[in-house]
Amino acid sequence: MSRGPLLGELAVLDDVGPPRRGRAYPAAGVGWVLLTPAVLLLGALLAWPVLRTVHASVTTDGGWVGAEHYRAALAAPGTAAVIGRTLLWALLVPTVVTVLGYLLAAASRRSQEGWLVRLILVVPTALPLVVTGVTFRLLYDPDPGRGLATLLLARVTGRDPEHLPQLLGPDLVTVAVMSAFVWAWVGLAMLVFRAALDAVPTGLADAVRAFGGSRRDVLWDAQWRPLLLRTVAVVFALVAVGTSRTFDLILVMTPGSVRDEAAVLSLRIWQTSGATTTGEGAALGVVWLVAVTAGMLVVALFVRQAWPPPQQPAGGAVTAPPPRRLVRLLAAGAAIAWLLPLGVLAATSLQNPVRAATGGWWSGPPGLDSYRAVLTGAELWRSLGFTLVLATVVTAAVLGVALLAAYPLAWLTGPAAQAVGLVLMAAVVVPVQVIAGPLNEVLGLALSSGTARGVALVHIALGVPFAVLVLRNSFADLPAEQVRGARIGGRHWWGTLRRLARHNRTALVAVAVLEFVQVWNDLVVGLLFSGPDAAPLGLFLAGQTRGFVAGSGTLAAGCVLASILPVLVFVLARRQVVAGLVAGGVR
């Protein structure tokens, strides 16, 4: 390692260690300055609220009570069922999404209709969970005159609709909500698996076949062991994080009479504490936080392998055989099934508001009356404008803070790099309901509670850990030549960072798209931290569900309008999003 002045600034050039690390990094003083915004944000709006919640779980009015709140919370009626349901969500749903994502990625490869199947399956990923909840509540309506699923089930079984099990009833409501979540997330899993399958060297599969290997041998030796094990861990972790944030979906999709039968910890904590800090709510929050963090750290053990770049075979020819006819039929069937809920939402939005309230979407000719009713109201336009400004500002702030922090963190090696990665992953999965009370206390000190500024600060704090993790890994995976060129060409650290950022456009686009869509689609942050002058779009749509049947036409129209921008942004940038998600690894 050598140290010396370079273009007026102290530079450290390090060629020792793993080939993807230790190439060039800023001086220690500059590094701490770059980390300061992220440290302040995460310390004040994540770390301290977590510690405050832990403190509240073992104290009452400042006095130590030990495990009393934990015993009371766990002994409360229904808590055992809520915890069991949460575990079921955390294990079963990610497994189903992972398996379906792999099967559909394999089925839609090297076929003429594959691009259309992938496009159809990706669209639900970008929809707000509020919109997904509205869509499936329309689809599963227990009235066969309104609910398509109930009508089809009655005709297939030949039974009276009154004697059919209700999909949104107490016995099946959890299954119904899980099906909506799977519908929303399979597209993202499919994209990640598609990227993994495309990155597998074709020659490896050819070698397995040359030695008489079967399709099973190709899967195990040429796909699973070199790459798919890590991909499964990545997809499972992504979906598990998503299942910990199903609050929006459960709140909107389940009728109030059966909400307790579908409740998970995220909903129970909100019902117990709301946006305040109580002993029992804090105890449940700590239990949930420990479980989610432990699960993520276990998954992290499987994702430390770097994502290899795609390798083309000699001559550019792909020798792998196309999928079987049965597999292609699976992909086509999935595309039709995924289109059905979207069709129900769109068709309901094209019904007259009165007909939509009294019958199914097939009860009359389509029209634009529901859209006229929504668009003539000022509240939708205020929510759209506020959400657009909020998402844009938050995305820009998250990118700026994350870029500054990722630059010095990218060059850490060994245990320090691994520790930073694990801390960032733990910060990514902190549920906002757990820290809502302490967060409101912090925002109150800054005169930001219930304001647009407070909502933006919460979104920024929640978005920075993931953005830093992605950008850090992306910087660390740059070729040494590009890093040296950026370091020599940049007169000061900001010149170096600017050149490195240009080499990482894909990761920057991925972070920007995911953060923008996340803020646009959010309900829970708006519900917990917004005020009268800061009503985001998700909160507006959730408010319209109170009169679900009477306002189903205008609600469906509002959902369609609210979904256009995030769907367009995500679909157009889906390749960059996947590349950013799989960049680097946990080191």
Side-chain angles (χ1 to χ4, degrees), residues 263-283:
V264 293
L265 279 173
S266 60
L267 188 66
R268 174 59 68 92
I269 292 170
W270 175 70
Q271 292 172 330
T272 303
S273 301
T276 62
T277 303
T278 65
E280 293 186 19

Side-chain angles (χ1 to χ4, degrees), residues 529-550:
F529 302 101
S530 67
D533 299 328
L537 191 57
L539 197 59
F540 166 76
L541 294 176
Q544 303 304 304
T545 62
R546 296 190 182 98
F548 190 88
V549 174

Side-chain angles (χ1 to χ4, degrees), residues 276-577:
T276 62
T277 303
T278 65
E280 293 186 19
L284 285 177
V286 171
V287 171
W288 185 23
L289 181 60
V290 169
V292 172
T293 303
M296 285 299 297
L297 296 182
V298 170
V299 171
L301 298 176
F302 294 93
V303 297
R304 292 175 60 183
Q305 171 190 344
W307 191 280
Q311 299 182 22
Q312 297 296 332
V318 177
T319 59
R324 296 177 179 177
R325 182 181 298 274
L326 180 62
V327 176
R328 294 176 64 182
L329 288 176
L330 169 66
I336 295 172
W338 257 247
L339 273 176
L340 186 61
L342 292 173
V344 169
L345 180 68
T348 304
S349 71
L350 292 172
Q351 280 295 305
N352 178 279
V354 176
R355 281 200 300 268
T358 57
W361 51 266
W362 57 85
S363 60
L368 298 176
D369 293 342
S370 292
Y371 284 97
R372 294 192 188 97
V374 172
L375 292 173
T376 54
E379 191 174 357
L380 174 66
W381 290 108
R382 282 198 300 269
S383 294
L384 282 171
F386 173 79
T387 306
L388 179 60
V389 173
L390 177 68
T392 304
V393 171
V394 168
T395 300
V398 167
L399 275 178
V401 173
L403 267 174
L404 294 179
Y407 175 39
L409 293 178
W411 321 118
L412 294 177
T413 58
Q418 295 173 14
V420 168
L422 294 177
V423 168
L424 290 172
M425 289 190 70
V428 167
V429 300
V430 172
V432 68
Q433 294 96 324
V434 173
I435 59 174
L439 258 179
N440 268 318
E441 294 174 8
V442 175
L443 295 177
L445 293 175
L447 303 179
S448 300
S449 182
T451 66
R453 184 172 63 253
V455 175
L457 284 172
V458 174
H459 275 300
I460 293 169
L462 295 175
V464 162
F466 176 78
V468 173
L469 188 62
V470 172
L471 294 178
R472 180 199 75 138
N473 293 345
S474 181
F475 281 150
D477 278 348
L478 284 176
E481 295 77 12
Q482 290 185 350
V483 176
R484 286 197 182 94
R487 191 65 184 88
I488 294 173
R491 183 173 180 83
H492 300 288
W493 66 263
W494 56 85
T496 304
L497 178 57
R498 186 171 62 251
R499 285 168 170 79
L500 290 174
R502 282 205 297 265
H503 295 311
N504 280 285
R505 288 192 185 94
T506 298
L508 290 172
V509 171
V511 169
V513 169
L514 289 172
E515 187 61 33
F516 184 91
V517 171
Q518 169 66 26
V519 176
W520 183 278
N521 292 348
D522 172 75
L523 168 63
V524 64
V525 172
L527 183 65
L528 294 173
F529 302 101
S530 67
D533 299 328
L537 191 57
L539 197 59
F540 166 76
L541 294 176
Q544 303 304 304
T545 62
R546 296 190 182 98
F548 190 88
V549 174
S552 56
T554 53
L555 176 59
C559 287
V560 171
L561 293 172
S563 303
I564 292 174
L565 183 58
V567 168
L568 282 177
V569 170
F570 189 86
V571 168
L572 292 176
R574 61 189 183 278
R575 291 185 178 87
Q576 290 86 346
V577 169

Side-chain angles (χ1 to χ4, degrees), residues 16-95:
V16 179
R20 295 178 182 240
R21 293 222 172 235
R23 297 302 182 185
Y25 47 88
V30 174
W32 282 112
V33 170
L34 298 179
L35 287 170
T36 298
V39 170
L40 291 177
L41 265 174
L42 300 184
L45 299 179
L46 280 184
W48 187 88
V50 167
L51 295 176
R52 175 72 179 88
T53 300
V54 174
H55 179 265
S57 71
V58 294
T59 60
T60 298
D61 297 328
W64 177 266
V65 297
E68 180 181 326
H69 293 315
Y70 290 90
R71 286 193 292 266
L74 295 176
T79 299
V82 167
I83 294 176
R85 210 174 290 122
T86 304
L87 291 174
L88 189 66
W89 269 95
L91 298 175
L92 178 62
V93 174
T95 301

